Amino acid sequence: IKKQQQDVLGFLEANKIEFEEKDIAANEENRKWMRENVPEDSRPASGNPLPPRLFNDSRYLGDYEAFFEARENNAVYAFLGLTAPPGSKVCVCIAPSKQ
């Protein structure tokens, strides 16, 4: 989990994408907020959803696997719901919504 979190944070920082990090380990309100805002169809069959989970405000974007796939397809800005900076390659991928 820690490696995945560092991967996401490193990407956001390197690309100067503003973000707010919510620590769910030390803050019960953040943990409750995450659990309530991860859609039912994106939760594990048992237990609670594990971080990292990405949101744009309160809109759920997906988990680490969805982020990684978007990054591999040069579609991170579209995944994050952001406008890509000039000169960036943007790819809009349409797939059944499971994240």
Side-chain angles (χ1 to χ4, degrees):
I1 292 174
K2 183 91 169 152
K3 186 176 186 290
Q4 292 176 351
Q5 290 171 326
Q6 290 173 336
D7 189 28
V8 172
L9 294 176
F11 179 88
L12 297 174
E13 290 168 351
N15 288 281
K16 296 179 175 57
I17 298 171
E18 290 185 36
F19 64 93
E20 175 187 354
E21 184 178 1
K22 292 191 176 200
D23 185 347
I24 65 163
N27 186 309
E28 181 61 37
E29 274 188 46
N30 287 343
R31 187 170 30 250
K32 182 179 176 189
W33 184 90
M34 185 189 80
R35 289 177 183 161
E36 290 173 353
N37 286 285
V38 171
E40 191 69 39
D41 62 344
S42 295
R43 295 180 186 176
S46 62
N48 292 309
L50 297 174
R53 298 291 172 142
L54 291 91
F55 298 85
N56 187 335
D57 291 322
S58 62
R59 185 173 59 94
Y60 182 69
L61 304 175
D63 58 11
Y64 177 78
E65 286 75 24
F67 168 81
F68 182 82
E69 185 176 319
R71 191 175 66 190
E72 289 295 305
N73 291 316
N74 294 316
V76 174
Y77 288 95
F79 170 76
L80 296 173
L82 303 173
T83 302
S88 295
K89 181 179 176 185
V90 178
C91 171
V92 177
C93 301
I94 300 173
S97 179
K98 60 181 178 177
Q99 262 78 7

